[in-house]
Amino acid sequence: MNLTLKVWRQKNAQHKGRLVTYTATDIHEHMSFLEMLDVVNEDLIKKGDDPIHFDHDCREGICGACSLVIDGVPHGKEHATTTCQLHMRHFKDGDTIYIEPFRARAFPVIKDLVVDRTAFDRIMAAGGFISINAGGAPDGNAIPIPKPDADKAMDAAACIGCGACVAACKNASAMLFVAAKVSQFAYLPQGRVEREKRVRAMVAQTDIEGFGGCTNQYECEAVCPKEISVSMIAKMNREFFRAATTTK
Ligand code: SF4
Ligand code: FES
């Protein structure tokens, strides 16, 4: 298939960006969206032009690097799909596709479609871990964990830190990401020891990074490639309230 691409090109955070039109020709329906961009870039490189810069790593829906807004939707319109797992069979010959970077004050553009998402790393560094020395691996089932709690912790742990929730939110809120990371530990006994300290520190860092507040728009849940539920936000709010009313 042949496509018209309107791609955001921006030299760096200081320069103004703009949409530039490219054609993508002979694109196979089984190619991924990133493979389609690879084809376009090969053409640009052959012509001596600057290739389109975009972020990617695993290309398997695991790392969360492939942060593109496709036709106005972070990761595109396919439900629960990362950009790298989006296939060109979901587009038609002759389509025009708009490709832009995630837009949020806390995610400044580095170049073209690549944004700086290290704000997420700093939120994790503030408290998204268990600091105790847990020693060697314990025997299986040494700590009994109710199945519903284990399931919820696993659901929260599915967050790949892609930032699509931020890009979809009109407030650029990082609440779904932070809630997933807080909940992942809060549901398990190993994580509960530091629960107050963790939620306070992660929420404080989120504010420092300049993310907006949550006003229950649910856009985050709609675009999340890992189907993280907004119920995690309710869990995080309960954790935060608990921490605020605890003297520890
Ligand atoms: S909550 Fe979903 S959209 Fe947000 S960072 Fe995690 S995986 Fe990405
Ligand atoms: S490149 Fe790793 S999730 Fe898309």
Side-chain angles (χ1 to χ4, degrees):
M1 66 179 91
N2 298 323
L3 305 154
T4 301
L5 307 181
K6 304 273 185 187
V7 184
W8 187 260
R9 302 298 311 256
Q10 185 171 339
K11 204 168 168 193
N12 54 41
Q14 285 72 46
H15 278 75
K16 257 178 110 174
R18 66 192 176 98
L19 286 169
V20 177
T21 305
Y22 298 96
T23 46
T25 46
D26 290 334
I27 300 301
H28 198 279
E29 60 172 356
H30 296 316
M31 282 181 184
S32 74
F33 200 85
L34 298 187
E35 284 166 343
M36 180 275 291
L37 286 178
D38 291 340
V39 170
V40 174
N41 273 347
E42 276 167 23
D43 277 356
L44 290 175
I45 291 165
K46 265 187 222 151
K47 284 190 230 154
D49 290 342
D50 189 22
I52 300 160
H53 289 243
F54 60 91
D55 226 349
H56 63 100
D57 189 7
C58 71
R59 298 199 175 200
E60 292 183 355
I62 299 166
C63 73
C66 51
S67 50
L68 300 183
V69 174
I70 302 163
D71 287 338
V73 182
H75 293 300
K77 288 178 185 158
E78 282 307 300
H79 179 66
T81 306
T82 53
T83 297
C84 59
Q85 299 274 283
L86 175 65
H87 286 93
M88 295 313 295
R89 54 182 163 271
H90 298 295
F91 298 88
K92 295 192 304 295
D93 184 41
D95 272 359
T96 297
I97 307 173
Y98 286 80
I99 310 170
E100 296 169 83
F102 283 5
R103 296 189 192 280
R105 185 161 52 113
F107 289 165
V109 171
I110 295 172
K111 185 175 168 64
D112 297 341
L113 305 167
V114 181
V115 300
D116 179 354
R117 286 175 301 133
T118 52
F120 272 12
D121 297 337
R122 289 187 290 275
I123 292 170
M124 289 302 286
F129 51 84
I130 291 172
S131 68
I132 55 162
N133 182 352
D139 289 343
N141 300 325
I143 304 171
I145 298 169
K147 178 81 165 64
D149 289 355
D151 286 348
K152 282 182 203 147
M154 285 300 286
D155 287 349
C159 168
I160 54 174
C162 65
C165 44
V166 174
C169 176
K170 69 177 187 181
N171 306 323
S173 170
M175 204 71 129
L176 195 64
F177 164 76
V178 181
K181 298 304 178 188
V182 166
S183 302
Q184 173 185 341
F185 295 116
Y187 280 119
L188 298 176
Q190 297 93 331
R192 283 188 198 132
V193 182
E194 296 167 296
R195 65 200 293 187
E196 292 92 5
K197 198 170 105 186
R198 174 179 305 111
V199 71
R200 279 198 202 107
M202 291 181 79
V203 169
Q205 190 64 36
T206 305
D207 290 342
I208 291 167
E209 297 294 344
F211 292 104
C214 174
T215 51
N216 298 319
Q217 305 294 306
Y218 289 21
E219 297 292 338
C220 52
E221 186 183 86
V223 299
C224 176
K226 297 299 162 185
E227 300 183 284
I228 304 294
S229 163
V230 288
S231 66
M232 298 290 171
I233 296 179
K235 170 69 178 165
M236 187 188 74
N237 286 339
R238 287 196 297 277
E239 286 295 311
F240 192 75
F241 182 73
R242 190 181 181 284
T245 52
T246 306
T247 48
K248 257 197 260 179

